[in-house]
Amino acid sequence: MKVYCSLLSTLLAVCLASAAEKAPVLFGSSVASDAAASIEDFNNADIREQDFNFGWKFMQDGLLGAETPEFDDSEWRSIRLPHDWSVEHSFDPNLDGATGYLPGGVGWYRKTFNLELKDNQEAYILFDGIYNHSDVYLNGKKLGYRPYGYVPFTYKLTDDLLDGENLIAVRVDRSRYIDSRWYTGSGIYRNVTLVIVDKLHVPIWGTYVTTPKIDKKGATARIETRIENAYPGKKKVQLKYTVIAPDGEVVALKSQGVSVGAGSTKAITSDLKIPDPVLWDIGQGNLYFLKTDIQMDGKEIDSSKTRFGIRTIATDPAKGFFLNGRSIAIKGVCLHHDAGLVGAAVPKGVWKRRLQALVDGGSNAVRFSHQPASREFMELCDEMGILAQVEFFDEWDNPKDKRLNCFEQHDDYISRGAAEYFQEWAEADLKNTMLRDRNHPSVIMWSIGNEIEWTYPRYRQTTGYFDANASGNYFWQKPPISNEEIAKRFQEIPEEKYVLAKTAKKLGDWTREMDSTRPVVANMIFPSASHESGYTDALDIVGYSYRRVMYDYSHERYPDKMIMGTENLVQWHEWKAVEEREFSPGTFLWTGISYMGEVHNGWPAKANSSGMLDVAAFEKPPFHMMKTLWHEEPHVYVCSQTAEKSLYRVDASGKVVEKEPGAWQQRLWYWHDVNEHWNYSDGEDVIVEVYSNCPEVELFLNDKSLGVKKLADFEDRIMRWAVPFARGELKAIGKGSGNLVTDNIVTHTRAKGIELELDKATLSADGYDVVHVVAQLRDKKGNPVLSDEQVVEFDVEGPCVILGVDNGYEKNVSDYQANKVMTHKGKCLLILQSLKQGGEVRITAKSVGVESAQAVVTIQ
């Protein structure tokens, strides 16, 4: 067993802002000047950081000279960050579905600010992510360029600051608008922070903490601190550590003298004892604070805070994954970085609602695919007790075809992605990500790449799947040739310019250089070739992409390597393969939430619909199937389909069976077509499906029993009844698991009213907090209307921003930034964001011929 033991810390952003904008701005980012954050926020953050998101101007145009102070931006739009300009546009069928039929282009951002530094101070700007090809200027001077859109980076401002007014300008070039295989967004879509420090300070991401020992009595925390001295002379300082437990008590203190040479950086390692540690765990975001102070001549000159958690992880190729000494099944989902109607500029509250929905469905882990997530997302994983796999790249040396995926035929300007600059920037991008993220307790593994083998022809040619006499069915067929033959073929094919195994080794070495406390993994599409080529030598865990058929095959041949599914289907057969194998630590399903882009089946389809939740984070039928597998608490869910469209039929004995026997074992990305309503023609033959983890379920139609079914009798875990349709209530009662659980669907009539459901009634007046408003059509009896759609319009008054509307349907291509939308399954979503102003927000939802509904949100 390999044990990875770590005391994990993370820098946390804080908003230090000032006076609020008086009027709301609809359909866009709010305009607000800086205002002071709450004491609670200040105490929970690195006190050197200042919110730099407010007071920006934006223009989408390839202008010349916009980086200079004298440029006239008076006609530009005032916005606040984060900002994604692509999602502001209408969906366009003339664009490409790979990136969701939304445009790229070139955009400029400008912000004027006053900053008077003392002689002993330095200033830095920290961008958590700009998509992409960004050039940053200060007062007309270029500070730098960053092509990769998913990584954090910093620039020093000190040397080019002016007395009085200064100008930051950022040019974002996303003219390569199909440069990813999914929706990316465009612009400064993550937070921007101003960091002000003494000339002698702990640099940004300069603290790294591990725990070489954890037991019941205490934890030994090893803190690595870098101290940077920008003074012209050598300095002697006192370095002080204070550890604060989750309950607010100080549990460890240490102080030591340090000398740092002029213009140099010194690394200091210190051990602290933390008594009776409260462990970070799944669903238990127990977080500590490390306060690091530097004193010089008896005066505090630098103080930073680092949030961390204490936990152990271990991997065993024969026994799986262990957290805090317990065997844990990784019930993971893959996620892309958009969140539907907000695009890529996702407020923390939007991510929190989405993650909570996944947790409610039984998930305990996320794989952020196929690039690093935002700092706020990682913080939420820490706070909510969610395991996380951080992935660095989708492309290495060679490009992927963004339009067709696995068939590399296009290499034009608009589709050139990360491979274009990988050679120059990969090391810096990987290391910056790890410096920011390596202290998060949620992070359990680093992924260096996703399905990279497609872009190296030797791998495709080696597997045997794509020979003229082979089926090519790598989903369900074991390798058609022996591993010896695979190795022989591989050696006979000449090396290309770039060798995958060598690049993997380089990436693995960089990763372990930064952090040795977590395993290195990659997601592989051709593992049979990867094992024989030397690729897997760079890895601690070998991740399989849609290759569960190879679990036993590979475990037998490569017993020293941990093997797991790192990209699998949202289907019972995938989880069954995990449950049956002790050596398999779990899986990451594709996907937890449907995401924009990666659609190639024609307009109108803005989003890939593979998720357990749709793009509005509404539950879908596969969510309920996975909940019955991943949750111990009893659950039951009813859906239906006409006998004509159903995958099932009634056989001669009256039993409801698959039309294609055994087909459930090979179902792929999309859940089969079922309805969540009970509205059909009188007497029509309907197949009812019930998903449950209860041993038995009894079905009733209008209180008349249709019989009891046993879960053990259905190998696909879908209990089925053939029912002639009759209007009324169809109800399933789960039995044999203690308390009875029920689910029902009711025949509805036409919509007569609207019900509004809010996930919170009070928002903070911080310019960030959000409320989700769900409108559900109801008939005259109050039943939900699920198959009769109407346009719902929202009137909103008060100090807030309408971020947009959606109905969750992947084929809905109406504008996101609007105040009305057609429902889907009788439902739609409105998201509002607060301004920095208190007051009441009044929401009215109305539709033609339907009684309106109202709700009030308080901002304070």
Side-chain angles (χ1 to χ4, degrees):
M1 178 183 292
K2 189 166 185 179
V3 178
Y4 303 86
C5 189
S6 178
L7 170 65
L8 305 163
S9 57
T10 184
L11 294 168
L12 195 64
V14 66
C15 307
L16 301 175
S18 106
E21 207 45 41
K22 297 298 183 183
V25 179
L26 301 184
F27 318 131
S29 298
S30 64
V31 185
S33 33
D34 296 346
S38 69
I39 293 297
E40 180 181 358
D41 284 342
F42 183 81
N43 287 340
N44 289 341
D46 188 324
I47 60 177
R48 307 174 306 175
E49 298 188 357
Q50 296 181 22
D51 188 328
F52 212 58
N53 285 332
F54 292 86
W56 290 79
K57 288 191 171 185
F58 171 73
M59 173 66 74
Q60 187 181 344
D61 199 323
L63 299 163
L64 297 177
E67 74 276 13
T68 61
E70 57 269 19
F71 185 89
D72 182 8
D73 62 10
S74 59
E75 299 299 317
W76 288 25
R77 180 156 59 104
S78 295
I79 65 163
R80 53 140 289 189
L81 305 178
H83 173 247
D84 172 5
W85 81 65
S86 291
V87 80
E88 297 174 345
H89 289 262
S90 297
F91 295 95
D92 185 347
N94 297 309
L95 298 175
D96 197 274
T99 45
Y101 299 105
L102 289 172
V106 177
W108 278 93
Y109 296 85
R110 287 166 55 98
K111 176 182 171 77
T112 57
F113 64 101
N114 289 290
L115 181 61
E116 296 183 7
L117 293 181
K118 299 176 182 178
D119 292 340
N120 64 318
Q121 290 182 318
E122 303 269 11
Y124 295 83
I125 190 168
L126 167 58
F127 294 95
D128 199 42
I130 301 177
Y131 206 88
N132 60 356
H133 292 280
S134 63
D135 295 292
V136 179
Y137 302 85
L138 175 59
N139 299 319
K141 180 180 177 181
K142 187 172 179 177
L143 298 179
Y145 162 74
R146 198 74 176 212
Y148 197 36
Y150 298 111
V151 291
F153 56 92
T154 66
Y155 294 119
K156 185 178 179 180
L157 305 181
T158 314
D159 299 337
D160 300 295
L161 286 170
L162 303 174
D163 292 334
E165 190 170 83
N166 290 271
L167 171 76
I168 282 281
V170 181
R171 182 180 187 270
V172 182
D173 181 0
R174 202 183 148 234
S175 53
R176 305 163 184 79
Y177 90 95
I178 319 176
D179 61 356
S180 279
R181 297 181 297 117
W182 54 86
Y183 178 80
T184 66
S186 302
I188 308 178
Y189 72 106
R190 292 180 181 172
N191 289 318
V192 183
T193 305
L194 185 66
V195 183
I196 300 174
V197 295
D198 189 271
K199 288 183 179 292
L200 195 150
H201 61 277
V202 176
I204 295 168
W205 310 319
T207 302
Y208 175 44
V209 189
T210 59
T211 52
K213 182 179 179 181
I214 300 174
D215 57 33
K216 294 181 180 179
K217 295 181 179 179
T220 300
R222 181 156 295 158
I223 305 169
E224 297 180 20
T225 306
R226 289 187 295 128
I227 302 178
E228 184 176 304
N229 178 18
Y231 286 104
K234 181 179 180 180
K235 297 294 182 182
K236 293 183 178 180
V237 299
Q238 198 73 12
L239 179 63
K240 298 180 64 176
Y241 296 117
T242 305
V243 176
I244 302 169
D247 63 3
E249 295 294 320
V250 174
V251 292
L253 293 165
K254 188 167 185 178
S255 179
Q256 67 186 91
V258 178
S259 295
V260 188
S264 67
T265 299
K266 188 168 187 177
I268 308 297
T269 301
S270 300
D271 285 355
L272 279 75
K273 298 290 186 180
I274 300 178
D276 303 317
V278 181
L279 298 185
W280 185 94
D281 211 326
I282 293 171
Q284 299 177 39
N286 297 316
L287 297 168
Y288 288 71
F289 284 99
L290 170 68
K291 188 171 183 287
T292 304
D293 299 320
I294 299 176
Q295 293 182 344
M296 186 164 59
D297 299 327
K299 180 182 178 182
E300 183 178 289
I301 61 169
D302 187 65
S303 182
S304 60
K305 286 191 177 181
T306 304
R307 196 171 67 164
F308 64 85
I310 304 172
R311 55 96 179 114
T312 65
I313 60 174
T315 59
D316 187 319
K319 298 292 184 180
F321 175 77
F322 294 81
L323 176 67
N324 298 327
R326 305 185 332 273
S327 176
I328 295 291
I330 296 173
K331 302 172 181 177
V333 297
C334 301
L335 294 177
H336 271 306
H337 80 154
D338 78 275
L341 67 89
V342 296
V346 187
K348 190 173 182 179
V350 172
W351 270 131
K352 186 172 184 178
R353 170 179 176 260
R354 289 172 167 244
L355 287 173
Q356 187 60 57
L358 292 170
V359 168
D360 291 345
S363 179
N364 61 20
V366 296
R367 169 185 174 233
F368 213 80
S369 314
H370 303 288
Q371 69 286 316
S374 68
R375 173 171 153 177
E376 287 182 306
F377 182 92
M378 301 308 301
E379 291 169 355
L380 278 170
C381 290
D382 291 345
E383 294 162 8
M384 299 175 71
I386 299 172
L387 306 173
Q389 180 193 104
V390 174
E391 191 157 74
F392 301 132
F393 305 113
D394 188 51
E395 289 183 345
W396 290 356
D397 305 303
N398 304 316
K400 291 183 177 178
D401 191 302
K402 316 307 185 298
R403 301 179 179 93
L404 299 174
N405 199 0
C406 321
F407 304 96
E408 317 309 329
Q409 299 176 18
H410 290 54
D411 181 18
D412 50 13
Y413 176 80
I414 61 173
S415 67
R416 290 179 187 164
E420 185 178 41
Y421 42 83
F422 179 83
Q423 308 303 323
E424 180 180 359
W425 286 98
E427 182 176 8
D429 291 338
L430 181 151
K431 289 184 175 180
N432 268 25
T433 299
M434 292 190 67
L435 282 169
R436 187 198 66 177
D437 289 347
R438 64 183 178 175
N439 294 312
H440 287 285
S442 54
V443 177
I444 59 169
M445 57 184 74
W446 305 108
S447 174
I448 59 175
N450 169 66
E451 295 185 1
I452 297 296
E453 304 103 308
W454 282 122
T455 65
Y456 296 81
R458 296 172 83 192
Y459 286 78
R460 186 185 183 92
Q461 296 167 18
T462 296
T463 63
Y465 286 112
F466 302 97
D467 294 358
N469 61 347
S471 68
N473 185 3
Y474 62 83
F475 282 105
W476 315 119
Q477 180 183 336
K478 293 179 182 178
I481 58 178
S482 69
N483 53 318
E484 290 82 9
E485 175 64 20
I486 291 171
K488 180 176 179 292
R489 286 188 178 196
F490 192 86
Q491 295 303 320
E492 290 174 349
I493 301 173
E495 289 186 352
E496 302 116 21
K497 179 180 179 180
Y498 300 112
V499 178
L500 187 155
K502 293 180 179 179
T503 300
K505 183 180 185 306
K506 180 170 59 177
L507 294 171
D509 289 346
W510 290 338
T511 303
R512 294 182 182 92
E513 174 190 337
M514 302 299 294
D515 177 35
S516 61
T517 70
R518 301 174 180 88
V520 177
V521 65
N523 185 47
M524 296 186 173
I525 196 68
F526 295 143
S528 59
S530 296
H531 278 287
E532 297 300 327
S533 70
Y535 182 7
T536 60
D537 294 347
L539 307 176
D540 303 301
I541 301 175
V542 184
Y544 282 21
S545 193
Y546 310 110
R547 302 297 285 115
R548 67 165 175 80
V549 70
M550 280 189 61
Y551 289 171
D552 294 333
Y553 171 97
S554 298
H555 182 61
E556 177 184 341
R557 287 162 176 78
Y558 314 103
D560 295 333
K561 286 290 185 184
M562 173 175 276
I563 294 166
M564 72 173 295
T566 42
E567 188 167 322
N568 294 93
L569 306 158
V570 184
Q571 299 286 352
W572 150 234
H573 62 73
E574 296 280 38
W575 187 247
K576 182 174 183 288
V578 173
E579 283 190 336
E580 293 173 346
R581 291 162 177 83
E582 184 181 18
F583 66 81
S584 177
T587 188
F588 290 94
L589 300 181
W590 193 266
T591 57
I593 308 175
S594 296
Y595 58 96
M596 288 202 292
E598 202 167 7
V599 285
H600 309 286
N601 52 354
W603 176 268
K606 68 184 179 189
N608 185 298
S609 62
S610 60
M612 294 161 53
L613 307 173
D614 66 25
V615 288
F618 295 147
E619 297 170 2
K620 296 167 60 178
F623 170 91
H624 295 279
M625 171 56 79
M626 297 314 300
K627 186 171 183 177
T628 69
L629 301 173
W630 283 354
H631 252 305
E632 293 183 1
E633 64 185 42
H635 183 62
V636 63
Y637 175 78
V638 183
C639 53
S640 61
Q641 184 53 277
T642 63
E644 179 184 1
K645 293 182 179 179
S646 175
L647 297 181
Y648 302 96
R649 65 177 179 84
V650 181
D651 67 9
S653 68
K655 186 177 180 181
V656 183
V657 298
E658 285 187 289
K659 290 177 179 177
E660 297 182 27
W664 69 272
Q665 299 177 72
Q666 296 185 1
R667 289 178 186 162
L668 291 170
W669 289 278
Y670 309 112
W671 200 254
H672 56 283
D673 185 18
V674 290
N675 298 316
E676 297 170 270
H677 62 71
W678 189 239
N679 278 68
Y680 299 98
S681 300
D682 289 341
E684 186 172 12
D685 291 332
V686 178
I687 303 298
V688 175
E689 299 182 15
V690 175
Y691 313 147
S692 183
N693 50 9
C694 297
E696 296 181 347
V697 171
E698 187 170 7
L699 189 69
F700 293 84
L701 178 58
N702 296 325
D703 294 327
K704 179 181 178 181
S705 177
L706 302 181
V708 175
K709 304 285 186 181
K710 294 183 178 181
L711 181 60
D713 293 336
F714 297 87
E715 60 178 355
D716 64 354
R717 291 187 63 96
I718 297 176
M719 289 178 266
R720 304 179 290 271
W721 289 257
V723 181
F725 175 74
R727 300 174 63 83
E729 179 191 45
L730 188 72
K731 180 169 66 175
I733 300 179
K735 300 179 177 182
S737 298
N739 294 332
L740 297 180
V741 290
T742 66
D743 186 42
N744 71 314
I745 45 179
V746 179
T747 306
H748 63 76
T749 56
R750 294 185 62 84
K752 293 297 182 181
I754 302 172
E755 179 184 64
L756 294 181
E757 179 183 339
L758 284 62
D759 63 344
K760 58 177 69 174
T762 303
L763 299 183
S764 298
D766 58 6
Y768 291 101
D769 206 1
V770 295
V771 58
H772 295 79
V773 182
V774 177
Q776 173 68 62
L777 299 176
R778 297 276 176 177
D779 67 11
K780 62 183 179 181
K781 293 183 178 180
N783 299 315
V785 175
L786 303 177
S787 60
D788 181 18
E789 312 302 349
Q790 294 193 210
V791 173
V792 173
E793 181 176 353
F794 296 95
D795 289 337
V796 181
E797 298 179 356
C800 70
V801 179
I802 295 179
L803 294 183
V805 291
D806 192 22
N807 61 19
Y809 186 38
E810 68 272 9
K811 293 187 178 181
N812 167 40
V813 290
S814 62
D815 288 356
Y816 274 146
Q817 297 208 347
N819 69 332
K820 60 182 178 180
V821 65
M822 178 75 75
T823 60
H824 178 60
K825 299 180 181 179
K827 186 160 54 178
C828 61
L829 172 69
L830 164 75
I831 302 181
L832 304 176
Q833 187 169 52
S834 70
L835 291 177
K836 291 187 174 184
Q837 177 184 348
E840 280 192 347
V841 174
R842 296 187 174 275
I843 307 158
T844 302
K846 56 187 180 182
S847 185
V848 175
V850 173
E851 184 178 348
S852 299
Q854 292 186 328
V856 175
V857 175
T858 301
I859 299 180
Q860 60 186 24

